[in-house]
Amino acid sequence: MEPPSKVSLPEKKWQMREADATVYMNFMKSHCCYDAIPTSCKLVIFDTKLQVKKAFFALVANGLRAAPLWDSKLQKFVGMLTITDFINILHCYYKSPMVQMYELESHKIETWRGDSFQNVYLKFPGPFLISISPNASLFEAIYSLLKYKIHRLPVIDPQSGNVLHILTHKRILKFLHIFGKRVPKPAFIRRQIQELGIGTFRNIATVQQTATLHDALSIFVERRVSALPVVDNHGKVVALYSRFDVINLAAQKTYNNLDITMQEAVRRRTCYVEGVIKCYPDETLETIIDRPSAGPGGQG
């Protein structure tokens, strides 16, 4: 009779690490995009003939950050209009408080696109809208978000052609936070975020509170971050100004003066933010995941 096979200790540890690493991957593969769509959500679709200015006002009125674009001539969705587009437009055409931005006042969404890619200003991800089926797995959705370096992925019904939802990193993480409790916690979430390399620890994009709002828009465009720590003369963080705060300029109709200081821009925000929600390098990933995330976003 042969003795039972034994697994060496190093090999057993390797198998445990391998299983540990696939916990969340298997979770995402076992759930489809439809599962992550909330029971009730708001969705706005813009026709490309709509004026750019009205489109941004509509985003503000509905508390949204993006909307799919429908081309009535082509009878299909051709792209997304986002806060990033608003930032790019302001950054490109702003001259001074004395010069009105007629481009923002007069153009329709379709005229921003132009007849060739050389004239495109509202940058679409390509000649087609990157989307996903509600039956596709969340793993496929995450792969698309990473592959195409996008933040929003429309979920489109393949039969009706209707947009059902706009899937984001935040929505996927929220779904994982709610339903991921049913799966065993991988060991790595008990490690420190600095050790895991999660977050930005070097060359952090910041803006001085004495800098102008246009300076901040330049940093948003150049560094492609989702929020900027506003710092004082001593380098201390006094506030956080996010991309979503920029869209409020449309609501307040104050986008014609971007020469105000960041201190004033923070003061004018419509939503009140008490302090800055923060974390520390030596905190574990588990601690941060469980922390309420009602505050503004961080570095992209």
Side-chain angles (χ1 to χ4, degrees):
M1 185 176 181
E2 294 183 2
S5 60
K6 292 182 180 181
V7 179
S8 65
L9 189 59
E11 188 178 349
K12 188 175 182 181
K13 285 184 177 180
W14 180 85
Q15 289 175 349
M16 289 174 66
R17 282 198 299 268
E18 188 75 10
D20 190 60
T22 58
V23 168
Y24 287 151
M25 183 179 72
N26 292 334
F27 175 82
M28 295 300 176
K29 284 184 175 180
S30 64
H31 291 85
C32 64
C33 293
Y34 189 83
D35 296 334
I37 298 177
T39 307
S40 177
C41 62
K42 191 180 290 186
L43 180 67
V44 172
I45 294 169
F46 296 143
D47 192 289
T48 54
K49 292 186 180 297
L50 184 67
Q51 281 188 324
V52 171
K53 180 180 175 181
K54 289 183 178 179
F56 288 125
F57 281 171
L59 284 180
V60 174
N62 290 281
L64 298 173
R65 300 174 183 231
L69 298 175
W70 173 261
D71 189 316
S72 53
K73 290 180 182 178
L74 300 175
Q75 286 292 296
K76 67 177 183 178
F77 290 102
V78 292
M80 297 279 292
L81 187 75
T82 70
I83 293 174
T84 299
D85 295 314
F86 186 58
I87 291 173
N88 287 337
I89 289 169
L90 294 182
H91 179 256
C92 180
Y93 288 103
Y94 179 76
K95 298 294 183 286
S96 79
M98 307 302 292
V99 181
Q100 190 174 11
M101 284 183 282
Y102 291 105
E103 295 86 359
L104 184 59
E105 302 291 330
S106 60
H107 272 289
K108 294 178 181 179
I109 295 172
E110 65 180 355
T111 59
W112 283 101
R113 298 188 67 190
D115 298 323
S116 68
F117 283 109
Q118 284 74 28
N119 296 325
V120 173
Y121 197 75
L122 294 184
K123 293 187 172 56
F124 297 89
F128 60 92
L129 175 65
I130 297 167
S131 62
I132 198 163
S133 165
N135 298 319
S137 71
L138 283 174
F139 180 82
E140 293 175 76
I142 294 169
Y143 179 78
S144 292
L145 288 168
L146 294 172
K147 179 182 178 181
Y148 297 108
K149 297 180 180 179
I150 54 178
H151 296 94
R152 292 168 181 83
L153 185 64
V155 180
I156 298 182
D157 188 319
Q159 300 198 344
S160 67
N162 294 332
V163 177
L164 305 178
H165 187 61
I166 306 297
L167 205 57
T168 64
H169 299 84
K170 184 177 180 180
R171 181 61 202 171
I172 293 172
L173 286 172
K174 188 171 184 179
F175 181 79
L176 175 63
H177 183 62
I178 295 171
F179 299 100
K181 295 174 182 177
R182 301 174 183 175
V183 299
K185 287 185 179 180
F188 66 78
I189 70 166
R190 289 185 284 275
R191 291 167 61 187
Q192 297 176 359
I193 58 168
Q194 189 170 28
E195 182 187 355
L196 291 170
I198 296 175
T200 306
F201 291 93
R202 294 180 181 178
N203 195 23
I204 297 173
T206 63
V207 63
Q208 291 282 334
Q209 62 179 353
T210 53
T212 66
L213 182 51
H214 190 262
D215 292 333
L217 297 187
S218 298
I219 300 172
F220 277 131
V221 171
E222 293 163 11
R223 298 291 298 273
R224 301 185 66 186
V225 292
S226 58
L228 286 171
V230 182
V231 298
D232 62 17
N233 294 331
H234 303 290
K236 180 182 177 183
V237 178
V238 294
L240 201 64
Y241 196 80
S242 72
R243 284 176 175 268
F244 190 68
D245 291 321
V246 178
I247 201 70
N248 285 320
L249 298 175
Q252 299 166 352
K253 299 181 180 179
T254 55
Y255 51 80
N256 274 315
N257 184 10
L258 303 180
D259 287 351
I260 62 172
T261 64
M262 286 307 300
Q263 191 171 22
E264 179 65 16
V266 169
R267 190 186 67 79
R268 289 186 184 183
R269 280 195 298 210
T270 53
C271 57
Y272 176 70
V273 180
E274 186 176 357
V276 177
I277 294 178
K278 54 187 179 290
C279 62
Y280 297 94
D282 59 353
E283 288 186 301
T284 65
L285 179 59
E286 184 176 21
T287 301
I288 295 166
I289 288 174
D290 292 334
R291 181 167 296 154
S293 55
Q299 300 278 328

